[in-house]
Amino acid sequence: MASEDIAKLAESLAKTKVGGGQLSFKGQSLKLNTAEDAEEVIKQIEEFDGLEALRLEGNTVGVEAAKVIAKALEKKSELKRCHWSDMFTGRLRSEIPPALISLGDALIAAGAQLVELDLSDNAFGPDGVRGFEALLKSPACYTLQELKLNNCGMGIGGGKILATALKECHRKSSAQGRPLALKIFVAGRNRLENDGATALAEAFGIIGTLEEVHMPQNGINHPGITALAQAFAINPLLKVINLNDNTFTEKGAVAMAETLKALRQIEVINFGDCLVRSKGAVAIADAVKEGLHKLKELNLSFCEIKRDAALTVVEAIEDKTELEKLDLNGNCLGEEVCEQLHEILEGFNMASVLGSLSDDEGDEDDDEEEEEEDDEEEEEEEQQLKERGAEEQESLTPKKIIDSQASTPVPSPPVDVATFLAFPSPEKLLRLGPKCSVLIAQQTDTSDVEKVVATLLRISSVFKDEAPVKTAVHETTDALMKKAFGSATFNSDAFITNLLVHMGLLKSEEKIKTVPSLYGILMTLNHMVQQDYFPKSLAPVLSAFVTKPNLFLNGTSYCDSNKVSDFFFFFFWELNGEYKY
């Protein structure tokens, strides 16, 4: 290095902020190409006792410099937070994966237990995800709570790699008795599109501990939004959902609204510029009105919402005492409706929560909206076709860092218990193999009645009157329930009550989402009541509820009435304790 460069580096390092276990080189525009360039940085790292957080944002780190910095990090076992955004400015994309691999390997070797990993604003593309894939799967990330990957250009391929890594991390960490409990996930501006979002949704459903999800500007249409909605429903601690500037349309908005009804901790909803349109806005308003008492911010700006729908949204927030901001700017309301909104909110003593309406598009007629919706559906179909082609192209990189699985037939990927329980299907249950019953029973906490009921309902939901599937469901149910009923601490009465509530046969004070179809659980109960492990004391209770008239049992939309009718014969209980059929 030239003497003036060394002097400049020394001056920058003199400004380095040190304190609270944090060493920061943030925003110093250091150009670290070689080992020599990084000498002063390495010295600072090596001399810092109890290093818990390392900030390298706003610098540029090359492959050689990354290797020597990594060497210094191998002894920093207490490192918990890696603020490594925007640290590859001016680098070739081919330089970033090896640099990330070196740094990741060092954290693994050190035995670090990360809490936060921020790699935002590093344009590494799908190749770069391979660079920290091993780190995400390692024990260093079993404790990860915050993962920030904003503006990295991951694309569909990178999103799939990331999803697989997160699922593997959860699987491995669960086997160690400390499952991954990710709280904050940030991946805006990454071109994830439907397939990338759907892959991540599957991972989210498995993890189940998310509190904040930020995925704006990803080109996600209603199939991807629907997949995310289903995953969010399995994350009851969610507080913040930011999907700004994606394309919901009515289908995606309705799916998301259904999920919002099940979430009790939501504080921030950002669906701005998401084209939810009027019907979607009404569905979201219904969800807000039914609950969401902790809601602080609702953004439905630039969504092509019209007069009546906007009024419905405003009326829905009447009792939301925690609300601080309502954004309806950029919709199709007109001056008169804008004034109406102000008047209604003034009546609620909430006028201050309404944001500016300066970009209102004015009133438009309904016929035009219907035409636009038809056009949108056609555009979405075309977009999905483009996505498939884009994924195939993206999966073929010059260095073959990304596998070309999108364009060539491959065997079905392996399935673990968490994946099956998050998104049950007959195929996934069979792919768990002959030990599926043992695996599911082992990984279910039978001391928790709620978990046993949830697991039983997911197993039974895939029931089919086909030998392989039917046998798998029966064997898995037997293993689970034999373990549960055989436990001295298992509350059988609470189990049957909870089950009946989820079946819609017993009312609950709390709003509980019932199963969409009773066929699978009834056929599974048909089998259960004939087994030795099933407590005879529960039969009269169960019989009383399934034999009395009920919309859920009688409706053909819920189950096959011919097959279900046979089921009832198993609940006539004789004094001698035998089933009579």
Side-chain angles (χ1 to χ4, degrees), residues 403-444:
D403 296 331
S404 59
Q405 295 177 351
S407 57
T408 56
V410 294
S412 298
V415 173
D416 57 20
V417 171
T419 302
F420 166 73
L421 292 178
F423 297 92
S425 72
E427 295 74 20
K428 287 178 184 174
L429 182 62
L430 295 176
R431 276 162 49 199
L432 279 172
K435 293 185 178 180
C436 64
S437 58
V438 177
L439 292 172
I440 290 177
Q442 286 177 343
Q443 295 187 34
T444 301

Side-chain angles (χ1 to χ4, degrees), residues 226-472:
T226 300
L228 288 171
Q230 292 170 346
F232 292 165
I234 316 173
N235 285 264
L237 302 178
L238 265 175
K239 296 179 181 179
V240 178
I241 303 177
N242 177 7
L243 294 173
N244 189 285
D245 200 8
N246 289 292
T247 307
F248 281 42
T249 65
E250 180 188 341
K251 292 180 181 178
V254 169
M256 193 61 69
E258 284 301 308
T259 285
L260 290 175
K261 292 177 182 179
L263 299 176
R264 300 170 184 269
Q265 306 300 322
I266 288 291
E267 296 178 3
V268 177
I269 298 171
N270 187 345
F271 296 160
D273 204 11
C274 284
L275 208 67
V276 303
R277 292 205 171 96
S278 292
K279 291 182 180 178
V282 170
I284 292 169
D286 289 344
V288 171
K289 190 171 184 177
E290 286 186 21
L292 305 189
H293 296 293
K294 296 183 179 181
L295 188 64
K296 294 180 179 179
E297 180 178 337
L298 175 60
N299 185 346
L300 294 175
S301 60
F302 299 93
C303 282
E304 294 191 6
I305 299 171
K306 298 198 174 181
R307 176 186 182 280
D308 292 343
L311 292 171
T312 301
V313 170
V314 169
E315 290 167 356
I317 66 168
E318 179 178 3
D319 63 344
K320 307 307 170 204
T321 57
E322 301 293 319
L323 193 70
E324 299 171 0
K325 182 179 180 182
L326 171 64
D327 193 344
L328 291 172
N329 199 20
N331 286 299
C332 311
L333 308 180
E335 185 176 345
E336 183 180 340
V337 177
C338 289
E339 291 177 1
Q340 259 187 291
L341 298 183
H342 280 288
E343 290 173 2
I344 293 172
L345 288 171
E346 283 177 0
F348 298 161
N349 197 26
M350 297 176 69
S352 61
V353 306
L354 185 62
S356 170
L357 297 173
S358 59
D359 293 320
D360 184 65
E361 296 290 334
D363 197 8
E364 296 178 12
D365 59 55
D366 293 336
D367 291 337
E368 185 178 343
E369 180 180 10
E370 290 175 0
E371 291 174 2
E372 288 174 350
E373 287 179 350
D374 291 338
D375 292 341
E376 183 63 31
E377 289 179 359
E378 292 176 4
E379 289 171 8
E380 287 173 3
E381 291 175 359
E382 293 174 3
Q383 180 66 22
Q384 289 174 42
L385 292 174
K386 290 178 183 177
E387 286 169 2
R388 296 189 187 100
E391 183 182 353
E392 291 174 0
Q393 280 190 336
E394 190 172 42
S395 66
L396 299 172
T397 63
K399 292 188 176 183
K400 296 184 180 179
I401 298 177
I402 309 297
D403 296 331
S404 59
Q405 295 177 351
S407 57
T408 56
V410 294
S412 298
V415 173
D416 57 20
V417 171
T419 302
F420 166 73
L421 292 178
F423 297 92
S425 72
E427 295 74 20
K428 287 178 184 174
L429 182 62
L430 295 176
R431 276 162 49 199
L432 279 172
K435 293 185 178 180
C436 64
S437 58
V438 177
L439 292 172
I440 290 177
Q442 286 177 343
Q443 295 187 34
T444 301
D445 180 6
T446 51
S447 65
D448 188 330
V449 168
E450 290 268 2
K451 289 183 179 178
V452 174
V453 170
T455 302
L456 176 62
L457 289 173
R458 287 170 186 166
I459 294 168
S460 64
S461 69
V462 306
F463 180 91
K464 282 186 177 181
D465 199 11
E466 299 173 3
V469 177
K470 185 176 181 180
T471 300

Side-chain angles (χ1 to χ4, degrees), residues 1 15 19 24 70-71 120 180 213 240 292 373 403 460 489 529:
M1 292 176 74
K15 300 176 183 176
S24 176
K71 192 70 177 175
S120 299
L180 172 67
V213 176
V240 178
L292 305 189
E373 287 179 350
D403 296 331
S460 64
T489 60
V529 298

Side-chain angles (χ1 to χ4, degrees), residues 14-312:
K15 300 176 183 176
T16 298
K17 295 179 182 178
V18 178
Q22 175 175 284
L23 177 59
S24 176
F25 301 97
K26 181 179 180 179
Q28 296 182 15
S29 302
L30 303 177
K31 296 180 180 179
L32 308 178
N33 298 315
T34 66
E36 183 183 4
D37 295 342
E39 282 180 356
E40 290 294 329
V41 174
I42 294 166
K43 182 181 178 183
Q44 292 273 355
I45 293 173
E46 290 177 339
E47 293 178 354
F48 198 109
D49 293 330
L51 180 63
E52 294 183 5
L54 177 61
R55 307 194 76 104
L56 292 173
E57 311 104 303
N59 301 290
T60 179
V61 182
V63 176
E64 291 304 315
K67 285 182 179 178
V68 292
I69 291 173
K71 192 70 177 175
L73 291 175
E74 287 181 358
K75 298 178 181 178
K76 301 298 175 180
S77 61
E78 296 179 15
L79 187 62
K80 292 179 175 63
R81 299 183 183 275
C82 297
H83 302 279
W84 294 349
S85 63
D86 189 22
M87 69 175 211
F88 296 111
T89 303
R91 300 291 169 184
L92 297 173
R93 267 178 59 168
S94 60
E95 292 182 85
I96 301 176
L100 288 173
I101 289 171
S102 295
L103 294 168
D105 287 348
L107 298 176
I108 297 170
Q113 294 187 329
L114 296 184
V115 172
E116 180 179 0
L117 177 61
D118 187 355
L119 293 171
S120 299
D121 300 314
N122 290 310
F124 46 57
D127 301 12
V129 184
R130 288 289 192 203
F132 60 93
E133 179 185 17
L135 173 63
L136 280 181
K137 294 179 179 180
S138 75
C141 285
Y142 289 177
T143 50
L144 195 64
Q145 294 180 13
E146 302 180 30
L147 179 59
K148 300 174 181 178
L149 300 166
N150 201 57
N151 192 31
C152 292
M154 291 188 290
I156 296 171
K160 288 186 172 184
I161 297 168
L162 176 61
T164 300
L166 288 172
K167 289 189 290 185
E168 183 71 1
C169 179
H170 187 274
R171 185 186 68 79
K172 289 182 175 180
S173 58
S174 296
Q176 295 294 319
R178 44 177 183 153
L180 172 67
L182 192 66
K183 294 181 179 179
I184 298 175
F185 179 84
V186 181
R189 301 183 65 186
N190 270 292
R191 299 182 293 108
L192 294 170
E193 303 182 11
N194 286 337
D195 289 347
T198 300
L200 285 168
E202 188 167 341
F204 296 162
I206 291 169
I207 294 169
T209 55
L210 288 168
E211 295 180 10
E212 295 185 22
V213 176
H214 303 263
M215 296 175 66
Q217 293 183 309
N218 270 296
I220 308 170
N221 296 328
H222 75 80
I225 296 298
T226 300
L228 288 171
Q230 292 170 346
F232 292 165
I234 316 173
N235 285 264
L237 302 178
L238 265 175
K239 296 179 181 179
V240 178
I241 303 177
N242 177 7
L243 294 173
N244 189 285
D245 200 8
N246 289 292
T247 307
F248 281 42
T249 65
E250 180 188 341
K251 292 180 181 178
V254 169
M256 193 61 69
E258 284 301 308
T259 285
L260 290 175
K261 292 177 182 179
L263 299 176
R264 300 170 184 269
Q265 306 300 322
I266 288 291
E267 296 178 3
V268 177
I269 298 171
N270 187 345
F271 296 160
D273 204 11
C274 284
L275 208 67
V276 303
R277 292 205 171 96
S278 292
K279 291 182 180 178
V282 170
I284 292 169
D286 289 344
V288 171
K289 190 171 184 177
E290 286 186 21
L292 305 189
H293 296 293
K294 296 183 179 181
L295 188 64
K296 294 180 179 179
E297 180 178 337
L298 175 60
N299 185 346
L300 294 175
S301 60
F302 299 93
C303 282
E304 294 191 6
I305 299 171
K306 298 198 174 181
R307 176 186 182 280
D308 292 343
L311 292 171
T312 301

